[in-house]
C-alpha cells in the first residue's frame, strides 16, 4: 500500500496537467492587460503648440476610455478563464489548441484598442472602421471562449466533477446570447463608435455575473 | 479512511484558490515594473547637437528619478500584496474584482511615470499638471489597496487564521494615514513636482516597515 | 519513520527541479507571443493622404500574415516544450543552457517578424533578404529544440519513465525531417517570401500532430 | 498526531515562502530578457538611401552583439538565482528587499543595452560613455547579487541545510573576484567598447561554471 502523497507535479499519463496551461495563459493575460498602457501616449512638449498639458491630456479621453474598456474586458475574461480551468483535471491536445485560439484573440486586443484610440474622434468613416475592427475582435474572442468551454466540458472524464449536460447547455445559451450582443456591436460601431465602446463596457459588467456559476457550483462529490 | 495528502492543486468548491490570483497578479506586477525601462529614452545621435552623450544623459535625471521612485513603489506594493495574500485561504469573486482594480492602478503607473519624466523640468504649469496626475495615480492605487485589504479580511472563514477586528482596524488606520499623505502629495505637486516625487520615495520607505505586520504575526493556530 | 508526504517544493539535491525551468520558459514564451502585437502598426491619421483607414489596413496584410504565422509557431513550440518537460523529473545544468538557447531563438522571433512585415511587399531583393532572415531564425529554433530534446532524454535517471532508445531515435528522425523542411524554406525565401511564410504555417500544423507522442505515451511504470 | 501532509501552499508564520519570490523574480527575468528584442531596430525602407537591406542589417552588428551579451548575462543570472533560491526554505523581509535591488539592476539592462547598441560605433567619446554606463550597470548587478547571496545565507534556520561558513566565504571570494573583473570592465570601456562587451561575454561564460556549486552540493541531511 502506498501511503505517500502523490507528487503534485506529476502529469497525468494520458493528458496535460492544467497547471502549465494556466501558467502560460496567466502570462499572456497579464502581459496583454499590461501592454495596454503602451497605447497611452504622452504628448510631446513640442507638439502642444501653446496648448496646456492639461488640455492636451483632456483631448486624449478616447485613449483612456478605450484603455479602461479593454482592461475590463481582459480582466473579466481572465476571471472566467480561471473559473473554467477550475472545472478540469486534465486537458487534451484539442483543448490546448482551443486555448491557443483564445490567447490569440486576447493578445491582439492592444492593437484594436490603439486603433480605436487613434481614430475614435477622427472623421466619421475611419472612426466607424476602427470601431468595427474593435467589435469584430471581441466577437472572435467570444467565439474562442465558447469553443474552449465546449472543449473543456465535452470530455466528462477530465472534469473534477461531471457537469450535467443541462448545465452545459444553459451556459452555452448564455454564451450565445452574449455572442449575439457582441455581433450587434459591429452594427453599433457604424452608428456610433462611442456607443459601441460603452456597450462593451456594459457587456463586461454583464459577464461579471459569473456566467459559469451554475456549472462551477455543482456540488463536489467526495473523492 | 483517506490517509492520502490532499491534492494541493484542488480548488475550494466555494471560492477561488489564491494560487492563480497570485500568479496573475505577480505577472502584472512583474510586467509593470519591467515596462518602466521603456520610459528611459536613449538620446538620438542626431539630436545631440554637439553636446556630449554624458551631458545628454545627465540632463535626463528626471527620467531616472521617476523610474527609481515608480520601481520602488511597485516593488513595495508587490511585497505588501504578497503579505496580504498569505492571510487568505480562498477568495471570492468580490476580492477578484478588488484585486483587478488594484492591478489597473498598478499597470497604469508607467504612463504617469513617462508623463512626469517628460514634463518634470518643463514650464511650471505643465510640470505641475504632470506631477498632479502622478500623485493622483498613487492616491487611486492606495485606495485600491485599502479596498482589497478590506475585501480580504471581511470574510473570516476565508482566512488561515481569523484576524482580530482590532488588528484590522489598526491596519486600516495606518492605511488611512498613508492615504492622507498620498492625498497631500497632490497639493505638493502644485508647489514642487520634485518634492512630490521625493515624498513618494519617502512614503514607499514608510510602507517598507510592514504595515500589515501585526495582522500577519497573529499566531497560527494548530490545524 | 517519516510518514509525512514530501514537500513538493523541495529540490532534488543533484539537479534542478523542472518547475522553475517551466515557469521561466512559460514567461518567455508568453511574453514573446504577446509582444508580437507591438509589430502591428496603427496607420498615422496624417499618413493616410486621402486613403480610407480600411484601405490602409488592407494594405497591411503582410503584417497580419506574419503575426499569425509567428503566433502559431511560438504557440506550437510552447505545446511541444510542455510535452517534453513532462518527460523529466529533474534537469541538469547542461539542459538549462540548452533551454536558454531555445529561449533565445524564441524571444528573438518578434524581430524577424517585424522585419518581414516591413519588407514582404517591398522590392524583390530586400523582401528575399527579410524572408531568408525569418527562415534562418526558424532553422535556429528547430535546431535548439532538437538539442534540448537530446539533452532531456540522454540522462535516463532524470526521466519519470526511461524512454526506449528506439523511441528517441524515431523522434530525432522526425525532428531531422522537420529540420530539413525548415532549411528548405531558406531557399523558398529567395523564390517567394509569401510562399516561405505559408510553408511555415503548414510546418506548424505538421508539428501539431504531436511529434513527441510515441515517447510521451510510453506506459508509466508504477512508482 | 497529524498524519496529513502539510499543505505546500501554507506560508511559514515567521517568513515568506520562496515560491512567490521566485514567481515574481522569474517574471521580471523573463520580461527583461524578452524586452531586449525591442532594442533591435528594423531599418525603415525610406532610410536605406539605395543601400540594400542586407547591407543595412550588417551595419547593425553592434545591436546584435549587445543583444546576445545581455541575453546571456540575464540568462546566467537567472540560472544562478535559481540555484541560490534552492538553498532557502523561507526568506525574511530583508531578503525581499535585497532581491528587489537585484531585480532593479536586471530590469534596467535593456536600457544600457539600447544605449550601447546606438553608440558602439559612434564617435569615440560617446562610445566610451555608453560602454561605461553598460559596465557600471553590470557592476551594480554583481553587487546586488552578492548582497542577496549574503542575505540568503546569513540566517541558517532559513536554509534547507545549514551551509558551512567556509563554503559561504569561498563563494564570497569567488563573487569578489568576479566583482573586481566587472569593475575592471569600466576601465576597459574607455579603451575599447567592443573589448568591454566581449569581456562581459567571457565573464558570463565564467559564471556558467556554477559559482554556487560547492554550497549547493552540500549533502542534504535526512529531514
Amino acid at each position: 500500500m502506498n501511503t505517500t502523497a502523490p507528487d503534485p507535479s506529476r502529469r497525468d499519463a494520458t493528458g496535460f496537467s492544467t497547471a502549465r496551461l494556466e501558467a502560460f495563459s496567466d502570462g499572456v493575460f497579464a502581459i496583454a492587460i499590461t501592454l495596454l498602457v503602451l497605447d497611452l501616449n504622452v504628448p510631446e512638449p513640442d507638439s502642444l503648440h501653446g496648448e496646456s498639458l492639461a488640455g492636451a491630456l483632456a483631448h486624449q479621453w478616447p485613449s483612456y476610455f478605450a484603455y479602461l474598456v479593454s482592461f475590463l474586458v481582459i480582466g473579466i475574461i481572465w476571471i472566467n478563464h480561471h473559473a473554467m480551468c477550475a472545472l478540469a483535471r486534465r486537458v487534451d491536445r484539442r483543448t490546448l489548441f482551443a486555448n491557443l485560439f483564445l490567447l490569440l484573440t486576447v493578445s491582439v486586443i492592444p492593437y484594436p484598442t490603439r486603433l480605436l484610440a487613434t481614430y475614435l474622434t477622427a472623421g466619421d468613416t475611419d472612426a466607424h472602421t476602427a470601431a468595427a475592427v474593435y467589435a469584430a475582435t471581441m466577437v472572435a474572442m467570444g467565439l474562442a471562449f465558447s469553443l474552449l468551454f465546449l472543449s473543456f466540458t465535452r470530455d466528462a472524464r477530465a472534469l473534477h466533477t461531471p457537469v450535467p449536460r443541462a448545465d452545459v447547455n444553459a451556459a452555452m445559451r448564455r454564451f450565445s446570447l452574449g455572442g449575439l450582443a457582441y455581433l450587434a456591436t459591429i452594427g453599433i460601431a457604424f452608428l456610433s463608435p462611442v456607443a459601441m465602446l460603452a456597450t462593451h463596457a456594459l457587456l463586461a459588467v454583464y459577464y461579471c455575473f459569473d456566467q459559469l456559476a451554475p456549472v462551477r457550483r455543482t456540488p463536489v462529490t467526495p473523492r
Side-chain angles (χ1 to χ4, degrees), chain A:
Chain A
M1 186 192 137
N2 179 8
T3 59
T4 308
D7 173 2
S9 69
R10 186 174 63 85
R11 271 80 168 188
D12 193 300
T14 61
F16 294 93
S17 80
T18 53
R20 212 178 153 189
L21 171 74
E22 293 178 47
F24 181 65
S25 304
D26 280 354
V28 171
F29 280 115
I31 299 155
I33 213 171
T34 316
L35 282 186
L36 290 171
V37 76
L38 299 183
D39 296 345
L40 298 176
N41 287 314
V42 170
E44 285 297 315
D46 297 344
S47 71
L48 293 183
H49 300 304
E51 191 185 25
S52 72
L53 175 59
L57 291 177
H59 284 148
Q60 289 194 342
W61 66 266
S63 290
Y64 311 135
F65 190 19
Y67 173 81
L68 274 174
V69 174
S70 292
F71 191 97
L72 194 59
V73 166
I74 298 180
I76 304 296
I77 309 171
W78 175 76
I79 290 178
N80 283 320
H81 189 266
H82 183 137
M84 188 163 57
C85 286
L87 291 173
R89 201 150 42 192
R90 60 173 200 273
V91 294
D92 57 14
R93 212 166 175 81
R94 184 180 338 210
T95 304
L96 289 184
F97 281 101
N99 193 60
L100 203 55
F101 178 37
L102 176 64
L103 295 183
L104 173 66
T105 62
V106 168
S107 68
V108 88
I109 286 178
Y111 179 65
T113 304
R114 199 160 62 232
L115 191 70
L116 189 58
T118 308
Y119 286 94
L120 191 60
T121 53
D124 270 5
T125 316
D126 288 351
H128 293 164
T129 302
V133 169
Y134 188 93
T137 306
M138 296 300 158
V139 170
M141 190 272 293
L143 184 68
F145 195 87
S146 302
L147 286 176
L148 182 57
F149 180 77
L150 272 183
S151 182
F152 256 104
T153 53
R154 66 183 286 282
D155 181 6
R157 290 172 310 150
L159 298 180
H160 283 296
T161 314
V163 175
R165 181 55 33 192
D167 283 357
V168 172
N169 292 345
M172 287 312 296
R173 273 194 300 273
R174 280 193 307 276
F175 282 145
S176 308
L177 208 69
L180 283 180
Y182 272 37
L183 260 181
T185 63
I186 299 186
I188 300 175
F190 289 103
L191 299 175
S192 159
V194 172
M196 183 281 303
L197 204 48
T199 308
H200 275 290
L202 291 175
L203 282 170
V205 172
Y206 165 77
Y207 276 113
C208 287
F209 290 96
D210 194 359
Q211 300 309 308
L212 290 163
V215 176
R216 197 168 44 78
R217 282 181 198 140
T218 301
V220 173
T221 57
R223 305 171 65 197

